[in-house]
Amino acid sequence: MIRISTWQSPLGPVTMAGDGTALTGLWFDGQKYFGAGLPDQTACGDTPVFAETRRWLLRYFAGEAPGALPPLRLTGSPFRQAVWALLLRIPYGRVTTYGEIAAALARQRGAAHLSAQAVGGAVGHNPVSILVPCHRVVGSGGSLTGYAGGLDKKAALLALERADLQNIFHFSE
């Protein structure tokens, strides 16, 4: 049974979902794709993984690099899974571009090219906001583009991390 719980972040309420052992979702309430992948029946209540997630979020919103993630279980297509795995490699306080992710994924797959737009779709469907740092993906040249939670929240998260939008992370680093 999937459980859900709401927590009041400094940027507004977030809803967490989990299967008892891992976090399966975290969305800003009302964001695009809110609750995507949740089964028809869920139960409200707390779990140890929610407590661990709240501790992680408290450190994060205090402006600290919060350390190890709580257990995650991300459900999606193999392509989305591969994109989300790359998101997890973007260091705290750094940004990368959709094109950089596409190029890194193309190298992994031995392909000549992958679409940055396809990557953008996978980034946008990330089921665990903040922890899987889709907010660290920017447009070419460091422009703020696309964020399911809203560009205001993306800007606030990047400001919290003191991210330099011109210092693009390359996956070969």
Side-chain angles (χ1 to χ4, degrees):
M1 169 70 67
I2 297 293
R3 292 198 172 281
I4 59 171
S5 180
T6 301
W7 180 72
Q8 184 63 41
S9 84
L11 298 179
V14 295
T15 296
M16 297 178 276
D19 62 10
T21 60
L23 190 69
T24 60
L26 188 140
W27 305 270
F28 284 105
D29 287 11
Q31 81 172 48
K32 193 174 184 180
Y33 311 119
F34 177 86
L38 284 177
D40 291 337
Q41 293 187 1
T42 60
C44 292
D46 208 15
T47 68
V49 77
F50 292 163
E52 190 175 345
T53 300
R54 286 190 299 273
R55 285 190 297 275
W56 190 98
L57 288 167
L58 284 169
R59 287 190 304 271
Y60 179 83
F61 282 111
E64 303 171 19
L69 293 169
L72 302 176
R73 184 164 295 112
L74 307 175
T75 303
S77 70
F79 180 78
R80 287 182 179 176
Q81 294 272 349
V83 169
W84 301 335
L86 288 172
L87 294 178
L88 288 167
R89 291 181 46 198
I90 307 167
Y92 179 91
R94 297 286 305 273
V95 296
T96 196
T97 66
Y98 298 96
E100 282 289 328
I101 294 172
L105 195 53
R107 284 191 302 274
Q108 283 180 2
R109 295 179 168 204
H113 175 77
L114 281 175
S115 164
Q117 285 183 311
V119 165
V123 170
H125 284 85
N126 167 25
V128 179
S129 294
I130 307 171
L131 285 82
V132 178
C134 53
H135 61 279
R136 294 181 189 149
V137 183
V138 298
S140 60
S143 60
L144 291 188
T145 61
Y147 186 62
L151 287 181
D152 59 330
K153 288 182 176 66
K154 182 174 191 163
L157 294 170
L158 292 172
L160 178 75
E161 295 183 23
R162 294 173 296 285
D164 176 358
L165 300 183
Q166 302 307 309
N167 185 12
I168 304 298
F169 174 73
H170 303 280
F171 287 92
S172 58
E173 292 180 15

